[in-house]
Amino acid sequence: MTAYDPEGDGAKMSFEKDMSYIDYLSLDPILGAQNRQSEAHDEMLFIIQHQTSELWMRLCLHELSTARHALAGGALQPSFKMLTRVARIFEQLNSAWDVLRTMTPSEYTEFRKDLGSSSGFQSHQYRLIEFILGNRNPAMLKVHEHRPELHRMLTQELGQKSLYHVVLDLLASAMETQFDATVYQFDTPHQANDDVMAAWVTVYEKPDQHWELYELAEKLVDLEDYFRRWRFNHVTTVERIIGFKRGSGGTSGVKYLRRMLEVELFPELWNLRGIL
């Protein structure tokens, strides 16, 4: 049997003067960025899992920023696709924990000391995702002071409305009301508000009259659902690998992560379910 010749089938085989796959994706720097600090076999898994997570978070930020802009302009339908995509990205990130959990405590111990003080707690992209969604805590800025450009970017985010703030503007307009200024705190996590709750209840009681807001609310719930699963899987993975040791960045590890499970990004959308 004659070997298949892709060139004879019309495939381009020479790229001396044209952009190739590896050029377009800038694969040289990406595939050369796995700089292990030890000889431990499993450190490669640890590095790639976190690097790919950061790439997915990069896409999350792209989608969330564009979705917020679309919502602010009243373009709800395009935002639905973006919010759905973010939820599916977190589904992908959840699957990544399954791969990392194939590493045992003994294997992690082989290179943990080589991490120094580095920790996922220091991820500026994760922090920016939280800030955009509304879980805002200025105390978290300090860890980025050694990188002025990142500190500045996060500070700028605290100076504008979160994605949920923009959604609440749409809700207030539809209900022909105005929420109290305390609802729009730029530098603290959003807290459940009775007036906001009442407005969302109206939407859920009459979805046929407020279909776009109803659909938007469910997109947000879906996003937070997957986000919560990601946090839960994070806790489980850390406990499985290091138990209740302190995190490499100095946090209390599992205890800190468990506190994060209590955070609600869109509390009214969850609380109203007990009212309907």
Side-chain angles (χ1 to χ4, degrees):
M1 181 177 179
T2 304
Y4 171 65
D5 181 5
E7 188 172 20
D9 201 24
K12 184 174 180 60
M13 303 296 285
S14 177
F15 294 90
E16 292 182 2
K17 297 181 180 179
D18 296 293
M19 180 168 59
S20 69
Y21 176 81
I22 195 170
D23 298 326
Y24 176 70
L25 294 176
S26 300
L27 288 181
D28 286 329
I30 292 174
L31 297 179
Q34 292 72 50
N35 302 311
R36 290 190 292 167
Q37 302 299 309
S38 75
E39 295 300 318
H41 173 80
D42 288 83
E43 188 180 2
M44 183 65 81
L45 161 62
F46 190 81
I47 291 173
I48 289 178
Q49 194 271 343
H50 286 83
Q51 286 182 337
T52 53
S53 293
E54 289 291 335
L55 285 172
W56 282 120
M57 284 191 271
R58 175 70 181 87
L59 181 56
C60 272
L61 290 169
H62 176 67
E63 300 294 338
L64 289 173
S65 297
T66 308
R68 176 168 56 182
H69 180 74
L71 290 168
L76 275 69
Q77 292 294 330
S79 75
F80 294 162
K81 177 68 174 291
M82 299 168 201
L83 295 174
T84 296
R85 182 172 292 164
V86 173
R88 297 303 172 263
I89 290 170
F90 273 100
E91 182 178 22
Q92 184 74 26
L93 287 169
N94 271 316
S95 297
W97 293 123
D98 293 336
V99 182
L100 190 62
R101 281 197 287 265
T102 64
M103 182 172 61
T104 67
S106 300
E107 291 162 344
Y108 181 53
T109 300
E110 290 183 33
F111 66 88
R112 191 186 187 211
K113 65 179 185 305
D114 298 293
L115 300 180
S117 298
S118 64
S119 167
F121 172 77
Q122 300 149 13
S123 170
H124 74 279
Q125 290 201 124
Y126 173 74
R127 197 65 57 206
L128 189 55
I129 289 172
E130 283 206 319
F131 282 8
I132 290 176
L133 292 176
N135 184 27
R136 296 175 162 187
N137 181 358
M140 296 299 185
L141 293 172
K142 187 173 180 60
V143 74
H144 303 290
E145 287 181 345
H146 70 295
R147 291 288 300 274
E149 73 282 10
L150 301 182
H151 188 274
R152 182 167 53 252
M153 178 176 62
L154 289 163
T155 302
Q156 288 174 347
E157 175 57 38
L158 291 181
Q160 60 181 317
K161 289 182 177 179
S162 71
L163 183 141
Y164 193 46
H165 287 152
V166 174
V167 170
L168 295 184
D169 283 342
L170 293 169
L171 178 63
S173 178
M175 297 296 116
E176 298 182 344
T177 188
Q178 188 172 1
F179 298 130
D180 188 81
T182 57
V183 171
Y184 297 94
Q185 297 295 317
F186 285 12
D187 59 356
T188 60
H190 176 74
Q191 301 295 320
N193 176 273
D194 290 341
D195 292 336
V196 171
M197 171 82 80
W200 279 126
V201 168
T202 298
V203 169
Y204 272 76
E205 286 179 337
K206 301 176 181 177
D208 55 325
Q209 295 180 24
H210 307 285
W211 186 261
E212 280 196 322
L213 281 173
Y214 178 67
E215 187 173 1
L216 174 57
E218 284 300 294
K219 294 294 183 185
L220 293 177
V221 170
D222 194 42
L223 190 162
E224 184 168 359
D225 190 349
Y226 280 99
F227 191 41
R228 287 184 180 188
R229 295 184 206 183
W230 182 84
R231 280 177 165 160
F232 177 79
N233 275 312
H234 190 182
V235 175
T236 302
T237 302
V238 171
E239 184 174 356
R240 177 169 176 165
I241 295 176
I242 69 169
F244 288 87
K245 295 177 183 175
R246 296 194 73 83
S248 54
T251 68
S252 57
V254 169
K255 291 181 180 179
Y256 165 75
L257 294 173
R258 283 183 176 176
R259 284 201 301 271
M260 296 302 100
L261 294 178
E262 298 174 1
V263 174
E264 288 185 320
L265 298 173
F266 318 122
E268 295 91 354
L269 294 178
W270 294 93
N271 297 343
L272 68 82
R273 282 153 166 75
I275 296 175
L276 296 175

